[in-house]
Amino acid sequence: QDKEALYLKSLAATCANCHGTNGRAVEGSSVVSLAGLQKSYLVAQLKAFKSGARPATIMHQLSKGYSDAQIDQIAGYFAAQAK
Amino acid sequence: QDKEALYLKSLAATCANCHGTNGRAVEGSSVVSLAGLQKSYLVAQLKAFKSGARPATIMHQLSKGYSDAQIDQIAGYFAAQAK
């Protein structure tokens, strides 16, 4: 895997802690799956968390640490995962 | 409560999600209590998470979203909580 793919994987790894590996959340968990969702939807949610437009428990704080470019990469990564 | 105290409480509220209300973690939980720890220790850990010097599952990402001033305020808040 080239450097870019590894970097992307490390970015998305943080999300796995709550959203499951490759964004497939555990059945019945209160946390939503991310795998296969529309990229534009994911970008919009992350930006809403980041701006505070969407209330959250920790997503607002997590998203603050990502640049818009990273948000785009993360959203693309999960959009590409099989549901 | 004045504006400053409310702001500080909202900063620390994010931590409560995992570290418990006022940083008193639930008995036996894998997450450490923060209440009453030394401020300098808390600042050092948050900065180590932020710089990546200390490995983490989500703390590295959470801490990236705080300025050094906020880190100082958060550390002070939890250091002042009764154990």
Side-chain angles (χ1 to χ4, degrees), chain B residues 2-83:
Chain B
D2 64 5
K3 223 164 139 282
E4 171 61 21
L6 274 178
Y7 170 70
L8 192 48
K9 268 214 146 198
S10 75
L11 268 187
T14 302
C15 316
N17 288 295
C18 298
H19 290 284
T21 310
N22 293 330
R24 277 191 296 279
V26 171
E27 212 53 49
S29 95
S30 63
V31 185
V32 73
S33 273
L34 304 175
L37 293 184
Q38 245 199 353
K39 182 178 174 182
S40 54
Y41 171 78
L42 288 166
V43 168
Q45 299 313 307
L46 282 167
K47 289 190 172 174
F49 283 131
K50 192 172 175 178
S51 71
R54 180 176 170 177
T57 49
I58 56 171
M59 279 307 298
H60 61 302
Q61 186 55 35
L62 284 165
S63 51
K64 275 202 189 78
Y66 292 117
S67 67
D68 285 350
Q70 288 173 321
I71 283 177
D72 195 74
Q73 287 177 298
I74 291 169
Y77 176 85
F78 285 110
Q81 302 307 309
K83 282 212 186 218

